[in-house]
Amino acid sequence: MDAKDIDYYSLGFEFIETKEMFVSNYEDGKWEEGKLVPFGNFEISPAACVLNYGQGIFEGMKALRTKNGEITLFRPKENAKRFNDSAERLLMPIYHTDSFVSAVKEVVKANEDYIPPYDSGGALYIRPLMIGTGPIVGVKPAKEYKLLIFTVPVGPYFPEGFTGIDLEITKKYTRAAPGGTGAAKTCCNYAGSMLPAKETKERGFAQVIFLDAVHSEFIDEVGTANFFAVINGTLVTPKTVGTILPGITRKSILDLASKKIGMKTEERDISYKELFEDSCTEAFCSGTAAVVTPIKSVVLDDKRRLFSEGEPGEFTRKLYELLTGIQRLEIDDEFGWIEKV
Ligand SMILES: *Cc1c(COP(=O)(O)O)cnc(C)c1O
């Protein structure tokens, strides 16, 4: 779609085509110098490893327009590093972190017209993707790969203001098991999360809370976002032990809580039972897409817990304001998290 035909004030989170994408191919053991090409389809062998065995990884980032028109990225080098961690888990080639960040900036610049205006609250979502394109029959890694980076303009996550979501704890499904691929941002993890999401939405919930696969007791993640709770005044989040995606937002929130708010923070096992006790006063989830999303209530079978009378908690709101303030250059970026494009 042409950039000027988009109504940036009514965008959701739907796919919209932008002008350019970045492509680099890996052949004979090395990456070619990538380049921008018009967004569009490409050919791929029916025997491509990604199509048959799911050898694909991705990242999710946002470019924001600030009040005075600058374009910012949030900790892009962290995405570059995580991309390579995911690549290693799936036996895919790594991509130089500096090349990753400069490619991201190139794509953003090329699609600058598609970055929603500051006052719309939207962002240009950036999707880096690496897929095994080489043909394969036996289960083993491809020899050829493709790196793609494309962008999609998206609306604000809270078009109706900062409000909480209702979640359902599932004991029927799990997202990841010890020794599996839960810590990698690999395509195959997400296909499996669609059915649990569909079923819980039909029951009126925004998402599921996944528990650990061994005990069905400790909280792993919320759909595709990291989980936090305030328990006895301490900010707690599940520790990253291989079944949890190490979120960059998660890591940033831990820093903001301890260094800007002076909260005690803990990375530990959190039993779902703790959410039903009075000592647990707030809960929220975090991610590039979800930012900081307050959790209004959690349900397991016929038990329901409503947090802070349905309003976002005090610390949840504070962390949301700090994070988005820094991202929009309205609060001093003392941690050096922002890169301008
Ligand atoms: C991407 C993702 C997150 C959030 O990570 P951010 O770096 O904060 O965007 C959390 N959980 C899952 C499963 C994810 O895929």
Side-chain angles (χ1 to χ4, degrees):
M1 198 192 286
D2 206 89
K4 60 181 184 307
D5 296 332
I6 298 170
D7 178 5
Y8 290 101
Y9 297 87
S10 63
L11 283 179
F13 207 82
E14 298 298 322
F15 176 75
I16 293 174
E17 197 173 307
T18 56
K19 210 166 66 192
E20 306 271 347
M21 63 180 185
F22 181 89
V23 183
S24 177
N25 295 302
Y26 180 91
E27 277 173 33
D28 302 323
K30 57 183 188 300
W31 288 104
E32 64 173 27
E33 198 177 335
K35 60 175 190 297
L36 291 173
V37 298
F39 183 92
N41 299 350
F42 54 87
E43 283 196 0
I44 190 167
S45 165
C49 194
V50 65
L51 297 181
N52 293 270
Y53 302 127
Q55 195 190 23
I57 57 169
F58 65 93
E59 275 300 322
M61 310 162 70
K62 275 177 179 172
L64 296 180
R65 178 88 68 187
T66 66
K67 203 180 261 173
N68 54 20
E70 289 176 296
I71 303 164
T72 63
L73 294 171
F74 185 69
R75 310 186 79 175
K77 190 112 188 212
E78 294 294 322
N79 294 91
K81 284 193 229 156
R82 188 172 64 191
F83 197 57
N84 284 335
D85 291 341
S86 301
E88 282 181 356
R89 180 63 181 83
L90 276 86
L91 289 180
M92 301 171 82
I94 63 160
Y95 197 82
H96 195 280
T97 50
D98 291 339
S99 311
F100 179 99
V101 174
S102 54
V104 165
K105 287 182 179 172
E106 254 186 79
V107 183
V108 170
K109 247 192 213 126
N111 295 302
E112 187 176 345
D113 293 351
Y114 292 88
I115 306 175
Y118 168 82
D119 64 350
S120 73
L124 189 68
Y125 188 77
I126 306 158
R127 169 52 53 83
L129 178 68
M130 195 204 297
I131 53 175
T133 49
I136 223 83
V137 180
V139 178
K140 58 179 193 270
K143 289 201 176 74
E144 289 90 38
Y145 296 85
K146 199 183 267 299
L147 171 85
L148 298 152
I149 307 175
F150 64 89
T151 60
V152 183
V154 298
Y157 202 75
F158 299 103
E160 273 107 48
F162 190 59
T163 54
I165 52 174
D166 297 306
L167 298 176
E168 183 183 36
I169 297 169
T170 177
K171 285 201 164 187
K172 183 175 173 192
Y173 298 107
T174 59
R175 193 191 84 91
T181 55
K185 229 171 160 77
T186 162
C187 305
C188 25
N189 287 344
Y190 301 84
S193 71
M194 294 173 189
L195 179 64
K198 174 178 181 274
E199 288 182 0
T200 202
K201 278 172 194 169
E202 282 165 0
R203 289 190 288 269
F205 300 99
Q207 254 301 351
V208 290
I209 295 181
F210 288 113
L211 300 178
D212 79 282
V214 177
H215 310 92
S216 273
E217 166 146 13
F218 303 107
I219 294 171
D220 262 359
E221 293 205 51
V222 176
T224 56
N226 293 118
F227 178 85
F228 283 89
V230 178
I231 299 178
N232 289 321
T234 298
L235 184 69
V236 296
T237 189
K239 55 178 191 268
T240 49
V241 285
T243 55
I244 287 166
L245 201 288
I248 296 160
T249 319
R250 171 188 180 279
K251 177 161 135 173
S252 309
I253 284 169
L254 286 171
D255 279 341
L256 290 173
S258 62
K259 295 178 186 142
K260 298 287 286 183
I261 306 184
M263 288 180 92
K264 199 171 155 226
T265 63
E266 270 175 14
E267 296 175 67
R268 64 162 173 90
D269 289 337
I270 304 167
S271 167
Y272 71 85
K273 292 171 189 155
E274 294 180 67
L275 305 188
F276 293 89
E277 288 164 15
D278 291 340
S279 51
C280 179
T281 47
E282 299 182 29
F284 64 90
C285 54
S286 77
T288 296
V291 198
V292 169
T293 297
I295 296 171
K296 195 201 292 173
S297 71
V298 294
V299 163
L300 176 64
D301 302 328
D302 53 3
K303 273 204 309 202
R304 178 165 190 259
R305 172 70 204 274
L306 182 73
F307 294 102
S308 356
E309 289 157 4
E311 292 300 314
E314 169 198 348
F315 293 112
T316 305
R317 183 178 289 278
K318 223 176 251 176
L319 287 163
Y320 173 79
E321 283 167 2
L322 280 169
L323 181 69
T324 54
I326 290 172
Q327 287 174 337
R328 293 180 167 272
L329 294 180
E330 281 153 21
I331 294 176
D332 181 36
D333 173 29
E334 64 187 81
F335 301 100
W337 286 343
I338 302 303
E339 278 206 36
K340 291 182 192 167
V341 176

